Amino acid sequence: MYNRSPMLRVLMVICAGLTSSRQALGQQPISGRGGEPIAAARRTAIDARPFLRQLDASAVRKWMEISSVCTMAEFELFLGPLAEPERKLLDKMASLTAPIVTRVHFDDLRSILKNGQISSYFEVERLGKHLLHTTPALENELYGAFDCVFASVGPPDGSPRYGDVIIRLRDSVRENGWATPFSGMDFLYAVRHKDARKMQQLLEDGKTLSSKRTDPLSLGFDDRLTFSHYVVTEKHWNRALAYQAILVLRNADDSSAGKQVHERFRKMLATDSHEEFWKLFIPAREKDLPPEQEAARVPFGYLEGKFDNRFLLDDVTAIEVPQGKLEEVLAWPMAREYRALIQSVGE
């Protein structure tokens, strides 16, 4: 899975057993069932009797839109009243475009260029390609992740741990997306306090997860129901990021790091540069920083975007490859059609 955020200490302040059945991949069209398990949990929560009718992708999408509207209304209630700088941030972010970036491994780039798309786990399997996908089976159990492709919403360069190739996406891809403020693995570990790695290993070993609440490695209704409350659809991404930032600001203390957080907030309001704003909103990661400096650079927000099955390369504005790899990539026959998109990182 691409572009995960480590900022859970902040996001925990901000803000469940049904698994989609599938026929053999080669015998059915792509359906895009990401989100179905959590929509099913929400449906179960409103009446204990079975609804019987199958949830289709359209119903899941409509539920997400309703849920997102409710979440924004709840933020408005629980954050209000807003201070003047907080209102200014909401107004400012309403006119901004959040960067949407995915990362892939360099070893996968050749196949991506050949196929003309970045694919979900199930779509990769359908194409008969076995790439370095990092989508955990545990997340598929949680919300149907194998039908999703992923991109970060906010970080200017995405997350390096999901690959060394930066792929920048058009803002229009958001029309087919939804998001949560963290990955499913991070949610289970930091919010639900489960050993997500052990749970993932059970699935890799061909075992099933218990749904009993007393089992520390269980995945059940409550987990999916809780995760469902974090869903934000594309119309509310910027507002959700602004609300995250307001909570970060309010939770900044009077320490030196806290004062730097307040100063960064003021700089965000003052800048007219789109690029500078997002660099201030989510500073680039640096290794081995002292605790105080790390606290001062805390991101103001983050969303992991989830999209149906594929990004076509028509949706891409730039493909940035590692330093020293540009000539190699441009020499590939499958890169010929996309030469105008391909550049070296930092150009």
Side-chain angles (χ1 to χ4, degrees), residues 101-139:
V101 179
T102 192
R103 288 262 195 163
V104 301
H105 298 280
F106 182 79
D107 290 343
D108 288 344
L109 183 58
R110 191 188 296 264
S111 290
I112 288 170
L113 294 172
K114 182 178 180 180
N115 293 320
Q117 64 182 53
I118 306 162
S119 307
S120 69
Y121 179 89
F122 273 138
E123 174 66 353
V124 166
E125 294 299 306
R126 190 188 71 83
L127 293 171
K129 305 295 181 182
H130 301 283
L131 307 183
L132 298 177
H133 245 282
T134 58
T135 307
L138 180 55
E139 295 199 356

Side-chain angles (χ1 to χ4, degrees), residues 21-317:
S21 61
R22 298 179 62 99
Q23 299 172 350
L25 292 174
Q27 298 176 1
Q28 66 173 25
I30 299 171
S31 58
R33 306 302 289 272
E36 182 178 335
I38 52 175
R42 285 294 284 268
R43 184 172 68 171
T44 300
I46 63 174
D47 199 299
R49 291 164 293 193
F51 281 79
L52 301 179
R53 184 176 298 172
Q54 183 177 356
L55 271 173
D56 59 21
S58 175
V60 171
R61 180 64 184 184
K62 289 178 181 178
W63 163 75
M64 286 183 173
E65 292 169 353
I66 293 169
S67 180
S68 184
V69 168
C70 292
T71 298
M72 292 303 100
E74 290 168 346
F75 265 116
E76 291 171 10
L77 172 65
F78 297 129
L79 284 176
L82 298 180
E84 182 63 22
E86 296 170 344
R87 289 196 295 270
K88 287 183 178 179
L89 179 67
L90 275 171
D91 292 340
K92 187 180 186 71
M93 290 196 70
S95 64
L96 294 174
T97 301
I100 305 176
V101 179
T102 192
R103 288 262 195 163
V104 301
H105 298 280
F106 182 79
D107 290 343
D108 288 344
L109 183 58
R110 191 188 296 264
S111 290
I112 288 170
L113 294 172
K114 182 178 180 180
N115 293 320
Q117 64 182 53
I118 306 162
S119 307
S120 69
Y121 179 89
F122 273 138
E123 174 66 353
V124 166
E125 294 299 306
R126 190 188 71 83
L127 293 171
K129 305 295 181 182
H130 301 283
L131 307 183
L132 298 177
H133 245 282
T134 58
T135 307
L138 180 55
E139 295 199 356
N140 191 53
E141 294 284 323
L142 177 63
Y143 65 86
F146 284 172
D147 275 300
C148 301
V149 288
F150 301 87
S152 64
V153 180
D157 295 325
S159 177
R161 60 176 171 155
Y162 293 100
D164 49 358
V165 177
I166 299 171
I167 300 182
R168 304 189 183 279
L169 298 161
R170 300 186 188 281
D171 188 63
S172 57
V173 303
R174 69 169 55 215
E175 297 172 4
N176 298 312
W178 56 284
T180 57
F182 29 57
S183 72
M185 293 289 282
D186 288 339
F187 161 77
L188 288 168
Y189 173 76
V191 178
R192 300 299 290 170
H193 307 296
K194 296 177 181 286
D195 193 328
R197 290 184 179 179
K198 284 187 178 180
M199 296 169 71
Q200 171 65 16
Q201 189 61 54
L202 286 174
L203 294 173
E204 290 179 3
D205 292 342
K207 299 177 182 178
T208 58
L209 297 174
S210 170
S211 60
K212 294 181 180 179
R213 296 181 182 180
T214 55
D215 189 333
L217 300 181
S218 67
L219 178 66
F221 170 78
D222 288 346
D223 299 308
R224 294 185 178 94
L225 182 61
T226 301
F227 191 69
S228 74
H229 286 279
Y230 293 106
V231 169
V232 182
T233 52
E234 76 287 350
K235 292 179 182 179
H236 302 131
W237 284 355
N238 281 30
R239 199 189 313 180
L241 288 168
Y243 288 149
Q244 291 180 15
I246 290 168
L247 276 170
V248 171
L249 183 71
R250 291 184 182 182
N251 282 274
D253 56 25
D254 292 329
S255 66
S256 174
K259 291 176 181 177
Q260 291 179 65
V261 170
H262 279 269
E263 178 60 25
R264 188 153 49 90
F265 190 93
R266 286 191 287 270
K267 288 181 178 179
M268 287 194 318
L269 292 181
T271 185
D272 293 324
S273 167
H274 179 276
E275 183 178 358
E276 183 182 5
F277 177 91
W278 290 108
K279 287 183 177 180
L280 289 166
F281 195 88
I282 305 180
R285 297 180 191 173
E286 294 186 14
K287 295 181 179 179
D288 304 322
L289 288 176
E292 183 177 298
Q293 290 186 33
E294 185 175 357
R297 295 171 62 84
V298 61
F300 277 116
Y302 174 85
L303 289 172
E304 180 184 85
K306 302 161 179 65
F307 306 82
D308 286 346
N309 287 299
R310 64 171 78 85
F311 293 126
L312 298 177
L313 293 191
D314 290 343
D315 296 325
V316 171
T317 62

